[in-house]
Amino acid sequence: MAIASSPRQTTTLTALTLGLVALLCAAGPCSGGGGASVPSVVTEAFFDGIKSQAGSGCEGNNFYTRGAFLSAANSFPGFAHGGSEADGKREVAAFFAHATYETGHFCYISEINRANVFCDASSRQWPCAPGKKYYGRGPLQLSWNFNYGPAGRRIGVDLLGDPDRVARDPAVSFKAALWSWMSSAHQAVPRGFGATVRAIDGGLACGGGNPAQVNALVGYYKQYCQQLGVDPGSNLTC
C-alpha cells in the first residue's frame, strides 16, 4: 500500500499470517459467545466521522459506506463476538483503526504505486492469473495472490482472476478485509491492540521497525475506543 497520509509505502500481508493460515473463523461462521451488536456499535455517526476526515477529492468518498460494511459483516458473524460486549467494541475499534491507517480515513481504495505486481510464482495453490496484479486494495489493502485466492474462495468471488473486484465492489472490498481480519487479528484481540498490529503488520511495524506507524495506529484505536465508550485495555503496542 502507498497512501499520501501514511508513512508506509506498501502493505504486504505475509504468508505466515494470512496465506498459510487456515482458521475456523475464516473458513466459515464462527460466532460463539456474546459480543457486541455490530450495527449498534458502527453507527452512521461513527462511520461517517471517520470518512469526514478524508479530503473531498478522495476516490473512496463514494465507495466506502456503512451499508457495505454491515453487509460484509453479516458474512462474518464471529466479528466482534466471542467475548463480552466490551471485547466486541474493542475489536470494532481495532478494525477501524487499522482501516483508517491503511486507507487514510477511507480516502484510498488501492495503492498509489500500482506498478507492484505482488505475485508469488511459487504458490501452486493460488497461481497468478496472466496480466493481473495483486497490489493492495480495500480497507486493509489485501495484497499478494496467496491472499486474494483464499479470500475469494471464502466470499464466493474469483479474486485471483479479477483482483480489481476488491476495488470496484464495496461489499466485496469489506468482505475481503474482514477475511483478512478474521484470519489473523481476530484471534489476537484478547491479547491487546498491540497483538493485532503484530498479527497484521508484525514484520513491518513491530520491534522498532516503524514506530510512527504503531503510534498512529494506537492513536486511532484509543480515539475510537473513547467514541465507543470502552476502555482500550492494556498491551497497546507491539
Side-chain angles (χ1 to χ4, degrees):
M1 178 196 68
I3 62 176
S5 62
S6 168
R8 194 172 62 179
Q9 296 301 306
T10 60
T11 295
T12 300
L13 299 177
T14 68
L16 288 177
T17 57
L18 290 177
L20 300 182
V21 179
L23 296 168
L24 292 176
C25 289
C30 177
S31 49
S37 168
V38 175
S40 297
V41 174
V42 184
T43 62
E44 288 187 18
F46 177 79
F47 192 94
D48 292 345
I50 297 174
K51 286 183 61 177
S52 68
Q53 298 182 60
S56 59
C58 290
E59 62 177 351
N61 284 347
N62 296 319
F63 183 77
Y64 297 113
T65 67
R66 174 178 178 264
F69 168 75
L70 294 179
S71 175
N74 286 334
S75 296
F76 294 87
F79 177 71
H81 286 78
S84 67
E85 181 180 11
D87 292 332
K89 288 183 176 181
R90 278 189 281 269
E91 180 163 9
V92 169
F95 175 85
F96 279 96
H98 284 279
T100 296
Y101 181 84
E102 299 289 357
T103 63
H105 293 91
F106 291 122
C107 178
Y108 293 91
I109 301 172
S110 302
E111 288 188 25
I112 290 177
N113 183 7
R114 300 175 190 179
N116 295 317
V117 177
F118 287 120
C119 170
D120 180 2
S122 68
S123 178
R124 295 184 178 182
Q125 183 178 8
W126 310 110
C128 303
K132 300 300 181 181
K133 297 180 180 181
Y134 302 95
Y135 52 73
R137 297 175 177 88
L140 294 186
Q141 295 289 279
L142 186 73
S143 305
W144 292 99
N145 53 303
F146 51 71
N147 290 317
Y148 275 85
R153 182 176 66 178
R154 168 63 177 86
I155 66 178
V157 178
D158 179 16
L159 295 183
L160 274 180
D162 186 11
D164 284 326
R165 181 78 179 270
V166 179
R168 293 198 313 269
D169 186 324
V172 168
S173 197
F174 273 116
K175 285 180 181 179
L178 283 168
W179 172 85
S180 298
W181 183 265
M182 298 303 291
S183 297
S184 57
H186 174 72
Q187 289 74 24
V189 170
R191 301 194 299 274
F193 180 71
T196 71
V197 178
R198 184 173 295 280
I200 293 180
D201 302 297
L204 297 174
C206 295
N210 193 339
Q213 176 186 347
V214 175
N215 289 338
L217 284 165
V218 171
Y220 294 138
Y221 173 67
K222 292 172 69 174
Q223 175 185 345
Y224 298 154
C225 282
Q226 183 179 23
Q227 291 178 17
L228 299 179
V230 66
D231 185 275
S234 58
N235 301 321
L236 300 186
T237 65
C238 59

